Amino acid sequence: MSTQDVLIIGGKPLSSRFFLGTGRYPNPYVQQQAIAASEAEVLTFAIRRVNLDSPDDDSILQHLEERVYTFLPNTSGARTADEAVRLARLARASGLSDWIKVEISASEKTLLPDPIETLKATEILAREGFIVLPYTSDDPVLCRRLEEAGAAAVMPGGSPIGTGLGILNPYNLGLIVEESGVPIIVDAGLGSAQDVVQAMELGAAGVLMNTPVAKAKDPVRMAEAMKLAITAGRLSYLAGRIPKKRYASASSGSEEWVIK
């Protein structure tokens, strides 16, 4: 990958386009090995699961001391903008991070993001100086509104969280990327390396995932597979694919070199 092709969010350059969740692994050892294999620099976790009174001793974070990571705490479990804002403020006050993934779900069944509350929380937190990355649906208009509200990056889901259904609406995702002035990180619903390549070929700046790695039969190998898929998809996007055609065309044409 070119050294000029660097992802920048909130003024911070990132060499990895892989954002990885820290939950649901079978044990801390596998979690640590998977994170190392992924080479991710940004790690996310639910604020509600962290001991904010003593973050350094927290059972989730104490296994992550060997490298320097950018923490992206999320407001999973919040039902309203007020709840999400309160969680974000608590996380920053504890010294955890000023990055925040706004995640507000209105339904326990689908866990789809609440668009109105998500936009409201993004506006408030951006004004307070947070680096806000809202998780949202794949609605191009809503994604643009979140950018206008001050989001440092926007994170549309490919499909509902944890389903592994992949990208259900590639047209919308491509349109979101095309119209966005901030990085688009595909978050939720991806299940395989194939899904990751598709997201990156559509122009996504990166992907965030947890379940596809943590719940794989071999999380460490899956983390490496996803890392490679991100690189392959990004290179393919930058290279520019050939146009699709209805009919065949010979790979050797009349303009081919003549051997004398």
Side-chain angles (χ1 to χ4, degrees):
M1 194 78 70
S2 169
T3 56
Q4 296 179 341
D5 184 41
V6 176
L7 173 59
I8 300 176
I9 295 179
K12 184 180 183 65
L14 300 168
S15 58
S16 171
R17 295 174 180 272
F18 197 171
F19 293 53
L20 188 61
T22 57
R24 310 197 70 186
Y25 292 88
N27 57 64
Y29 175 77
V30 171
Q31 176 205 57
Q32 194 170 24
Q33 292 299 303
I35 291 171
S38 74
E39 298 185 7
E41 296 173 84
V42 178
L43 302 180
T44 186
F45 45 82
I47 297 170
R48 292 179 182 274
R49 294 172 51 225
V50 174
N51 178 10
L52 295 179
D53 292 329
S54 183
D56 292 339
D57 297 327
D58 185 83
S59 60
I60 296 172
L61 304 181
Q62 65 181 345
H63 302 288
L64 308 176
E65 297 175 353
E66 294 184 4
R67 289 180 54 192
V68 176
Y69 297 99
T70 295
F71 289 149
L72 177 62
N74 67 66
T75 64
S76 173
R79 293 294 192 90
T80 66
D82 288 342
E83 286 183 32
V85 168
R86 180 177 61 81
L87 286 169
R89 289 170 177 165
L90 287 171
R92 183 162 69 177
S94 73
L96 201 55
S97 180
D98 61 354
W99 285 44
I100 190 71
K101 175 188 171 185
V102 173
E103 187 173 333
I104 304 173
S105 300
S107 167
E108 292 185 4
K109 181 178 181 180
T110 66
L111 295 179
L112 290 172
D114 184 314
I116 296 173
E117 296 299 305
T118 298
L119 181 58
K120 189 187 302 183
T122 298
E123 290 173 337
I124 295 170
L125 293 171
R127 283 200 304 266
E128 294 184 7
F130 283 87
I131 306 300
V132 187
L133 290 80
Y135 163 59
T136 183
S137 59
D138 59 354
D139 180 340
V141 175
L142 178 57
C143 288
R144 187 168 68 249
R145 292 287 183 261
L146 288 166
E147 178 183 344
E148 293 169 353
V154 178
M155 309 178 77
S159 53
I161 290 175
T163 61
L165 291 172
I167 297 173
L168 296 182
N169 197 334
Y171 173 81
N172 270 24
L173 185 56
L175 194 58
I176 290 167
V177 170
E178 181 182 329
E179 296 184 345
S180 180
V182 297
I184 298 299
I185 311 297
V186 176
D187 176 12
L190 304 182
S192 70
Q194 179 183 15
D195 300 333
V196 171
V197 170
Q198 183 184 19
M200 299 304 294
E201 286 187 323
L202 287 168
V207 299
L208 186 153
M209 64 181 65
N210 188 174
T211 305
V213 174
K215 289 300 184 180
K217 291 181 180 179
D218 187 332
V220 179
R221 283 186 175 178
M222 187 60 78
E224 184 174 5
M226 298 301 193
K227 174 189 69 177
L228 296 173
I230 290 170
T231 299
R234 181 65 179 175
L235 285 172
S236 178
Y237 172 73
L238 294 175
R241 64 157 292 141
I242 63 171
K244 295 181 179 181
K245 301 178 181 179
R246 290 189 65 186
Y247 303 108
S249 59
S251 58
S252 298
S254 58
E255 73 280 1
E256 288 292 311
W257 297 331
V258 176
I259 300 176
K260 296 182 179 180

